[in-house]
Amino acid sequence: MKALEDKISTKLSKVSKNFDIFNMKVKELDTKVDTKIQQLIDNDNRKRNLIVTGIPPQENESLNDLIKALSSKLGYESSPECRVYRYKGRENNNERPIVIQFSTEFHKQDFFTRYKKIAKTLNLGMFAGFKGKNSRIYLQHDFIKTQYHINKFAIKMLREKKIISTRIIQGFVYVKVSSNDDFKPFETVKDLENAIAIIVN
């Protein structure tokens, strides 16, 4: 009788342990799903944005006037429809980028394409209140954290000629690793590294 009880107890212990492992895996999966959903929501909020850096805040500044001046330099007769604001930060913080939120992703991409054609000619002195200032200003996509790192790595690989090209589609970085590949997104930098390693080897 004692042997039977011990056997039953051992089996129940194993079942309990397996159940705990199952619960742990379910919780891990729930966390991954929640994280992915949050990333998609965050990305959807950012995919129409461009970030402008290199323009320090001024007292009583008009961000709309800044964007009008920038749009004019990019060849627009009038500024594209957009909302403009600075990232919140501490008072007197000169590192608060400007966010341009366009009405559509198409308008954002057109603006960025025009910027890339003359990027090296744009400097702070083109804006009212900054006459004589020759420091560069920069535009970049408003990526979520994971896509920012993937894009940074992809640009490095592009310069080293280890990939063919990159595209930004709805806020995600798509990479054409080899001439025989289609453009495709990657979840992590490691995934992109592995794809490049396969081609190299």
Side-chain angles (χ1 to χ4, degrees), residues 56-86:
Q58 287 183 300
E59 189 175 355
N60 300 321
E61 69 181 356
S62 170
L63 295 180
N64 286 329
D65 286 346
L66 288 174
I67 297 307
K68 284 179 183 178
L70 178 56
S71 297
S72 178
K73 284 288 185 181
L74 298 182
Y76 290 96
E77 292 185 4
S78 59
S79 300
E81 184 180 343
C82 60
R83 174 176 172 245
V84 189
Y85 60 94
R86 281 192 186 273

Short mmCIF file of all heavy atoms in Angstrom, two decimals, residues 56-86:
data_model
loop_
_atom_site.label_atom_id
_atom_site.label_comp_id
_atom_site.label_asym_id
_atom_site.label_seq_id
_atom_site.Cartn_x
_atom_site.Cartn_y
_atom_site.Cartn_z
N PRO A 56 18.32 74.06 -32.32
CA PRO A 56 18.08 74.31 -30.90
C PRO A 56 16.78 75.09 -30.67
O PRO A 56 16.38 75.89 -31.53
CB PRO A 56 19.29 75.17 -30.47
CG PRO A 56 20.30 74.97 -31.55
CD PRO A 56 19.54 74.73 -32.81
N PRO A 57 16.11 74.86 -29.55
CA PRO A 57 14.89 75.63 -29.24
C PRO A 57 15.21 77.11 -29.07
O PRO A 57 16.28 77.48 -28.59
CB PRO A 57 14.42 75.02 -27.91
CG PRO A 57 15.10 73.70 -27.82
CD PRO A 57 16.40 73.85 -28.53
N GLN A 58 14.28 77.96 -29.50
CA GLN A 58 14.39 79.40 -29.29
C GLN A 58 13.18 79.89 -28.51
O GLN A 58 12.10 79.30 -28.58
CB GLN A 58 14.43 80.13 -30.64
CG GLN A 58 15.72 80.00 -31.41
CD GLN A 58 15.66 80.83 -32.68
OE1 GLN A 58 14.80 80.62 -33.53
NE2 GLN A 58 16.57 81.78 -32.81
N GLU A 59 13.36 80.97 -27.80
CA GLU A 59 12.23 81.56 -27.09
C GLU A 59 11.22 82.09 -28.11
O GLU A 59 11.59 82.75 -29.09
CB GLU A 59 12.72 82.70 -26.18
CG GLU A 59 11.64 83.22 -25.25
CD GLU A 59 12.18 84.26 -24.28
OE1 GLU A 59 13.41 84.49 -24.28
OE2 GLU A 59 11.36 84.84 -23.55
N ASN A 60 9.96 81.78 -27.90
CA ASN A 60 8.87 82.21 -28.79
C ASN A 60 9.09 81.74 -30.23
O ASN A 60 8.73 82.43 -31.19
CB ASN A 60 8.73 83.74 -28.77
CG ASN A 60 8.41 84.27 -27.39
OD1 ASN A 60 7.62 83.67 -26.65
ND2 ASN A 60 9.02 85.39 -27.02
N GLU A 61 9.68 80.58 -30.40
CA GLU A 61 9.92 80.06 -31.75
C GLU A 61 8.62 79.67 -32.43
O GLU A 61 7.63 79.31 -31.78
CB GLU A 61 10.86 78.86 -31.70
CG GLU A 61 10.25 77.61 -31.08
CD GLU A 61 11.22 76.44 -31.05
OE1 GLU A 61 12.34 76.55 -31.57
OE2 GLU A 61 10.86 75.40 -30.47
N SER A 62 8.63 79.73 -33.76
CA SER A 62 7.50 79.26 -34.56
C SER A 62 7.95 78.04 -35.34
O SER A 62 8.69 78.16 -36.33
CB SER A 62 7.02 80.36 -35.52
OG SER A 62 6.07 79.82 -36.43
N LEU A 63 7.53 76.87 -34.89
CA LEU A 63 7.93 75.65 -35.58
C LEU A 63 7.34 75.59 -36.98
O LEU A 63 7.96 75.05 -37.90
CB LEU A 63 7.49 74.42 -34.77
CG LEU A 63 8.16 74.25 -33.41
CD1 LEU A 63 7.63 73.00 -32.71
CD2 LEU A 63 9.68 74.16 -33.56
N ASN A 64 6.16 76.16 -37.16
CA ASN A 64 5.56 76.19 -38.49
C ASN A 64 6.40 77.00 -39.47
O ASN A 64 6.56 76.62 -40.64
CB ASN A 64 4.14 76.76 -38.43
CG ASN A 64 3.15 75.78 -37.81
OD1 ASN A 64 3.31 74.57 -37.94
ND2 ASN A 64 2.14 76.30 -37.14
N ASP A 65 6.97 78.11 -38.99
CA ASP A 65 7.85 78.92 -39.85
C ASP A 65 9.13 78.14 -40.19
O ASP A 65 9.64 78.24 -41.32
CB ASP A 65 8.21 80.24 -39.16
CG ASP A 65 7.05 81.22 -39.15
OD1 ASP A 65 6.07 80.99 -39.90
OD2 ASP A 65 7.11 82.21 -38.39
N LEU A 66 9.64 77.38 -39.23
CA LEU A 66 10.83 76.56 -39.49
C LEU A 66 10.54 75.53 -40.59
O LEU A 66 11.35 75.34 -41.50
CB LEU A 66 11.26 75.84 -38.21
CG LEU A 66 11.90 76.69 -37.10
CD1 LEU A 66 12.14 75.84 -35.87
CD2 LEU A 66 13.21 77.30 -37.58
N ILE A 67 9.39 74.90 -40.50
CA ILE A 67 9.04 73.88 -41.49
C ILE A 67 8.76 74.52 -42.86
O ILE A 67 9.08 73.94 -43.90
CB ILE A 67 7.83 73.06 -41.02
CG1 ILE A 67 8.19 72.32 -39.73
CG2 ILE A 67 7.40 72.06 -42.09
CD1 ILE A 67 9.46 71.49 -39.81
N LYS A 68 8.20 75.73 -42.86
CA LYS A 68 7.99 76.44 -44.13
C LYS A 68 9.33 76.71 -44.80
O LYS A 68 9.48 76.53 -46.02
CB LYS A 68 7.25 77.75 -43.88
CG LYS A 68 5.76 77.59 -43.62
CD LYS A 68 5.11 78.95 -43.37
CE LYS A 68 3.63 78.79 -43.04
NZ LYS A 68 2.99 80.11 -42.75
N ALA A 69 10.31 77.16 -44.02
CA ALA A 69 11.64 77.44 -44.56
C ALA A 69 12.30 76.17 -45.08
O ALA A 69 12.90 76.15 -46.17
CB ALA A 69 12.52 78.09 -43.49
N LEU A 70 12.17 75.09 -44.33
CA LEU A 70 12.74 73.81 -44.75
C LEU A 70 12.04 73.29 -46.00
O LEU A 70 12.69 72.82 -46.95
CB LEU A 70 12.62 72.79 -43.62
CG LEU A 70 13.14 71.37 -43.90
CD1 LEU A 70 14.60 71.41 -44.35
CD2 LEU A 70 12.99 70.50 -42.66
N SER A 71 10.72 73.39 -46.03
CA SER A 71 9.95 72.93 -47.19
C SER A 71 10.35 73.69 -48.44
O SER A 71 10.47 73.12 -49.53
CB SER A 71 8.45 73.10 -46.93
OG SER A 71 8.02 72.31 -45.85
N SER A 72 10.56 75.00 -48.29
CA SER A 72 10.96 75.83 -49.43
C SER A 72 12.31 75.36 -49.98
O SER A 72 12.49 75.26 -51.20
CB SER A 72 11.05 77.29 -49.00
OG SER A 72 11.50 78.11 -50.07
N LYS A 73 13.24 75.05 -49.09
CA LYS A 73 14.55 74.55 -49.52
C LYS A 73 14.44 73.22 -50.25
O LYS A 73 15.25 72.90 -51.12
CB LYS A 73 15.47 74.38 -48.31
CG LYS A 73 16.03 75.68 -47.75
CD LYS A 73 17.08 76.25 -48.69
CE LYS A 73 17.73 77.49 -48.08
NZ LYS A 73 18.76 78.07 -49.00
N LEU A 74 13.42 72.45 -49.89
CA LEU A 74 13.23 71.14 -50.52
C LEU A 74 12.42 71.22 -51.81
O LEU A 74 12.13 70.20 -52.43
CB LEU A 74 12.54 70.19 -49.54
CG LEU A 74 13.30 69.87 -48.25
CD1 LEU A 74 12.53 68.87 -47.39
CD2 LEU A 74 14.69 69.34 -48.54
N GLY A 75 12.04 72.45 -52.19
CA GLY A 75 11.37 72.63 -53.47
C GLY A 75 9.86 72.68 -53.43
O GLY A 75 9.20 72.68 -54.48
N TYR A 76 9.28 72.76 -52.24
CA TYR A 76 7.83 72.86 -52.12
C TYR A 76 7.40 74.32 -52.26
O TYR A 76 8.05 75.23 -51.73
CB TYR A 76 7.35 72.35 -50.76
CG TYR A 76 7.45 70.87 -50.56
CD1 TYR A 76 8.56 70.31 -49.91
CD2 TYR A 76 6.45 70.01 -51.00
CE1 TYR A 76 8.65 68.94 -49.69
CE2 TYR A 76 6.54 68.64 -50.79
CZ TYR A 76 7.64 68.11 -50.14
OH TYR A 76 7.73 66.76 -49.93
N GLU A 77 6.28 74.55 -52.95
CA GLU A 77 5.71 75.90 -53.01
C GLU A 77 5.03 76.24 -51.69
O GLU A 77 5.00 77.40 -51.27
CB GLU A 77 4.72 76.00 -54.17
CG GLU A 77 5.38 75.91 -55.54
CD GLU A 77 4.40 76.13 -56.67
OE1 GLU A 77 3.21 76.42 -56.38
OE2 GLU A 77 4.80 76.00 -57.84
N SER A 78 4.47 75.24 -51.04
CA SER A 78 3.90 75.41 -49.71
C SER A 78 4.18 74.13 -48.92
O SER A 78 4.36 73.06 -49.50
CB SER A 78 2.39 75.68 -49.78
OG SER A 78 1.72 74.61 -50.41
N SER A 79 4.19 74.24 -47.61
CA SER A 79 4.52 73.09 -46.78
C SER A 79 3.47 72.00 -46.91
O SER A 79 2.27 72.29 -47.01
CB SER A 79 4.60 73.51 -45.30
OG SER A 79 5.58 74.49 -45.11
N PRO A 80 3.88 70.73 -46.92
CA PRO A 80 2.91 69.64 -46.90
C PRO A 80 2.07 69.71 -45.62
O PRO A 80 2.53 70.25 -44.61
CB PRO A 80 3.78 68.38 -46.90
CG PRO A 80 5.12 68.82 -47.36
CD PRO A 80 5.27 70.24 -46.92
N GLU A 81 0.88 69.17 -45.68
CA GLU A 81 0.03 69.16 -44.49
C GLU A 81 0.68 68.31 -43.40
O GLU A 81 1.00 67.14 -43.62
CB GLU A 81 -1.35 68.59 -44.84
CG GLU A 81 -2.33 68.62 -43.67
CD GLU A 81 -3.69 68.06 -44.05
OE1 GLU A 81 -3.97 67.94 -45.26
OE2 GLU A 81 -4.46 67.72 -43.13
N CYS A 82 0.91 68.91 -42.25
CA CYS A 82 1.59 68.18 -41.18
C CYS A 82 1.36 68.87 -39.83
O CYS A 82 0.94 70.02 -39.76
CB CYS A 82 3.09 68.07 -41.45
SG CYS A 82 3.94 69.67 -41.60
N ARG A 83 1.65 68.13 -38.79
CA ARG A 83 1.65 68.65 -37.42
C ARG A 83 3.10 68.69 -36.94
O ARG A 83 3.85 67.74 -37.19
CB ARG A 83 0.81 67.75 -36.52
CG ARG A 83 0.85 68.10 -35.04
CD ARG A 83 -0.09 67.20 -34.25
NE ARG A 83 0.08 67.39 -32.81
CZ ARG A 83 0.53 66.47 -31.98
NH1 ARG A 83 0.86 65.27 -32.43
NH2 ARG A 83 0.64 66.73 -30.69
N VAL A 84 3.49 69.77 -36.29
CA VAL A 84 4.89 69.93 -35.88
C VAL A 84 4.97 70.21 -34.38
O VAL A 84 4.23 71.04 -33.86
CB VAL A 84 5.57 71.09 -36.65
CG1 VAL A 84 7.07 71.09 -36.38
CG2 VAL A 84 5.30 70.99 -38.14
N TYR A 85 5.86 69.50 -33.71
CA TYR A 85 6.06 69.74 -32.28
C TYR A 85 7.45 69.26 -31.87
O TYR A 85 8.11 68.54 -32.61
CB TYR A 85 4.99 69.02 -31.44
CG TYR A 85 4.95 67.51 -31.61
CD1 TYR A 85 5.64 66.68 -30.73
CD2 TYR A 85 4.22 66.93 -32.64
CE1 TYR A 85 5.61 65.30 -30.88
CE2 TYR A 85 4.18 65.55 -32.79
CZ TYR A 85 4.87 64.74 -31.91
OH TYR A 85 4.84 63.38 -32.07
N ARG A 86 7.89 69.69 -30.71
CA ARG A 86 9.16 69.20 -30.17
C ARG A 86 8.90 68.10 -29.15
O ARG A 86 7.89 68.11 -28.46
CB ARG A 86 9.94 70.33 -29.48
CG ARG A 86 10.68 71.26 -30.43
CD ARG A 86 11.65 72.14 -29.66
NE ARG A 86 12.28 73.14 -30.51
CZ ARG A 86 13.38 72.93 -31.22
NH1 ARG A 86 13.99 71.76 -31.14
NH2 ARG A 86 13.89 73.89 -31.98
#
